[in-house]
Amino acid sequence: MRKFDAIIVGAGITGLSTAYHLKIQNKDLRIAIIDKFPTFAQGNTARATAGFRDLFSTDTNFMLSHSSIEFYRHVQNSMGKDLGMIFTGYMFLLAEEELGNPHLEKIMKKTRARTVGKDELASTGYFNLNPDSREAEIINAKPVEGAFLGLNCGIIEPDLVAEFYYNELLKTDVEFHFGTELLSLSLEPVHPLDYPGEPFLWQEKTIGRLITSRGEMVADYYIMCTDVWTTNLLDPLGIDSHIRPKKRQVFQVGGPEIEKMLADDSLTGAGTFPFTILPGTGIHFRPAPGEKAFRVSVADEIGRDFSFTEEPELEKDFFTYSVRPVLNEYVLPFRNSRLIGGWAGHYSYNTIDMNPYIFKCLNVIVSTGTSGSGIMKADANGRITASLYSGHEKAKLFDGSAIRVSDLGIENRNVGFESFVL
């Protein structure tokens, strides 16, 4: 049985980015990546709404997203690798009480953004800015007084981002073991006494092996980039992953009027309509020009249980009775639209502060808790995870900024509470 320096569990966007930056920091590392799927990026990476933004209330999440966006821009524009990256903008429609949001004022000082007046919104001809019907009263649809438009935001294709990292790793000696499911991590004594029942309470412990569907694997370190699967894998060891899974759904909505709206780029000049977030409920729709559709989603909270299903199903009734009434009230083209497809996945929620967790316990490194924004922070998270493995105090991000590795850990955690989770 060959021994690796590090085995990364999970070939999603975080695992691939971590391996990429580990090899940049030390090209001689012997690294293996295992994943239960037949190829890379088949878990929640493939089920994302697939947008990117640096509009976050915490400085930490802003740094992670902004630097990752700059790296993806570099890959697409300077390296010539198409990532499907289009700066469509993120547009938050605002009710009157949201106009003076201090978080938005703070964000405008850090990134490219502008306000959109009510008259400019009305000129598009797509919005009902003054809902006054009986149904609007029932669903608590409030008048829209303006919008906040983040310009350093847009859409991206997760499979193309993942493919970039994967192809770069193929140029190295990193080993990929697809179709290899991690069954358990073996907790063992550092100094075994060959007594039944080891390790005992008083013995120094380590993770000695991975038990997989294809046999045992051994490394000095095990890096868990396992998204919502992390909790079930670490619970038997008594290691708290600090995340909870929550189901999320993406509904594809199309039709002739939707296609016309998709082609309107009058607000940004990006070739398509902005990624738009409605007031109150947080329902949002992401332009998908290639699908001739908008991808509609919402971060529903109370009423959506914390549970995990391996293959979550799309709930058409949820769209019909919870999502569509709000869309119909605010956005005129949705009234004559049709549901043409969709899928479901999970967010790995950090329910305490909504920033990622990257920490070490024994010889296990855990990188999870992205709370639905893993793709837009993946490059930075990979750099930080690699720096934690290498024992660096700080991780240098692509845009030249630096962050203390311990800030995203447990004992010396130093992040604020994130208010903008979509």
Side-chain angles (χ1 to χ4, degrees):
M1 185 168 18
R2 289 183 300 118
K3 186 176 183 180
F4 296 91
D5 294 308
I7 295 176
I8 297 172
V9 184
I13 193 72
T14 302
L16 294 172
S17 172
T18 297
Y20 174 79
H21 289 295
L22 275 172
K23 291 300 286 186
I24 288 177
Q25 291 186 13
N26 187 342
K27 64 181 179 62
D28 295 325
L29 285 178
R30 296 165 296 169
I31 299 173
I33 300 177
I34 71 170
D35 198 293
K36 66 179 180 178
F37 292 108
T39 188
F40 61 92
Q42 296 300 294
N44 284 315
T45 297
R47 300 171 182 176
T49 308
F52 66 87
R53 59 187 169 102
D54 57 4
L55 306 178
F56 288 96
S57 63
T58 69
D59 290 338
T60 300
N61 273 334
F62 172 78
M63 289 176 65
L64 301 182
S65 59
H66 183 80
S67 64
S68 296
I69 290 169
E70 291 307 303
F71 179 72
Y72 300 151
R73 190 202 308 263
H74 167 74
V75 170
Q76 181 161 287
N77 294 347
S78 299
M79 297 180 67
K81 310 290 186 180
D82 179 25
L83 303 182
M85 190 179 198
I86 305 173
F87 286 82
T88 65
Y90 264 50
M91 184 167 67
F92 291 79
L93 302 188
L94 305 175
E96 183 176 10
E97 62 268 22
E98 298 170 317
L99 286 176
N101 189 322
H103 293 306
L104 296 180
E105 295 178 5
K106 179 182 177 182
I107 288 170
M108 288 190 73
K109 297 177 182 178
K110 295 191 291 187
T111 188
R112 295 188 302 118
R114 72 178 181 91
T115 58
V116 181
K118 192 171 184 178
D119 289 344
E120 187 177 359
L121 287 174
S123 69
T124 66
Y126 300 121
F127 296 110
N128 176 25
L129 301 178
N130 296 292
D132 59 1
S133 66
R134 173 60 178 159
E135 186 171 353
E137 183 180 347
I138 292 172
I139 66 175
N140 198 28
K142 299 179 180 180
V144 175
E145 300 298 334
F148 174 87
L149 180 59
L151 300 173
N152 198 41
C153 314
I155 60 176
I156 199 165
E157 296 304 326
D159 58 328
L160 296 179
V161 180
E163 185 178 50
F164 162 77
Y165 287 119
Y166 176 70
N167 286 336
E168 291 299 305
L169 289 169
L170 288 180
K171 301 173 184 177
T172 71
D173 59 356
V174 170
E175 292 187 17
F176 286 91
H177 296 258
F178 294 120
T180 304
E181 182 177 3
L182 175 59
L183 303 177
S184 64
L185 297 90
S186 177
L187 185 65
E188 302 173 1
V190 174
H191 304 291
L193 301 174
D194 296 327
Y195 279 99
E198 293 183 285
F200 301 113
L201 176 66
W202 36 265
Q203 286 180 299
E204 185 181 357
K205 301 169 183 65
T206 188
I207 303 301
R209 295 163 291 151
L210 298 185
I211 313 301
T212 82
S213 59
R214 292 193 171 185
E216 298 181 356
M217 300 182 71
V218 177
D220 292 326
Y221 272 88
Y222 304 97
I223 304 177
M224 305 295 290
C225 300
T226 42
D227 200 64
V228 292
W229 291 270
T230 308
T231 299
N232 288 341
L233 291 169
L234 294 185
D235 274 358
L237 303 173
I239 299 176
D240 189 355
S241 68
H242 302 280
I243 66 106
R244 301 287 300 278
K246 187 162 269 199
K247 181 179 176 180
R248 289 289 171 259
Q249 302 179 72
V250 178
F251 302 93
Q252 294 168 296
V253 182
E257 294 182 38
I258 292 292
E259 291 182 33
K260 179 182 177 182
M261 184 177 176
L262 273 170
D264 188 331
D265 68 347
S266 58
L267 292 168
T268 62
T272 189
F273 204 78
F275 190 123
T276 303
I277 302 93
L278 300 180
T281 58
I283 291 171
H284 47 272
F285 51 94
R286 177 252 205 221
E291 301 164 16
K292 297 182 179 180
F294 281 112
R295 296 178 183 174
V296 179
S297 191
V298 59
D300 48 314
E301 298 299 339
I302 302 300
R304 175 68 59 192
D305 64 330
F306 284 107
S307 61
F308 178 70
T309 303
E310 192 69 36
E311 294 294 336
E313 296 183 358
L314 196 70
E315 301 167 44
K316 294 182 180 179
D317 283 351
F318 179 75
F319 176 78
T320 300
Y321 299 112
S322 289
V323 177
R324 183 178 278 284
V326 180
L327 288 171
N328 288 354
E329 196 61 44
Y330 281 113
V331 192
L332 303 179
F334 279 100
R335 296 178 181 180
N336 296 312
S337 66
R338 66 183 186 278
L339 182 63
I340 61 175
W343 58 86
H346 291 89
Y347 280 7
S348 61
Y349 262 111
N350 161 5
T351 60
I352 303 302
D353 57 47
M354 305 298 182
N355 295 265
Y357 277 119
I358 302 174
F359 65 93
K360 182 167 66 174
C361 182
L362 302 179
N363 57 330
V364 174
I365 292 175
V366 180
S367 183
T368 188
T370 51
S371 303
S373 51
I375 293 170
M376 66 189 77
K377 301 173 190 170
D379 188 71
N381 287 343
R383 292 170 190 262
I384 296 168
T385 307
S387 294
L388 176 59
Y389 171 89
S390 300
H392 298 157
E393 181 181 349
K394 292 184 178 181
K396 185 176 180 181
L397 306 183
F398 179 76
D399 62 0
S401 61
I403 186 170
R404 288 184 179 276
V405 173
S406 61
D407 284 355
L408 292 168
I410 305 300
E411 294 181 5
N412 298 303
R413 191 168 181 80
N414 183 28
V415 297
F417 179 81
E418 182 54 58
S419 301
F420 289 162
V421 177
L422 299 179

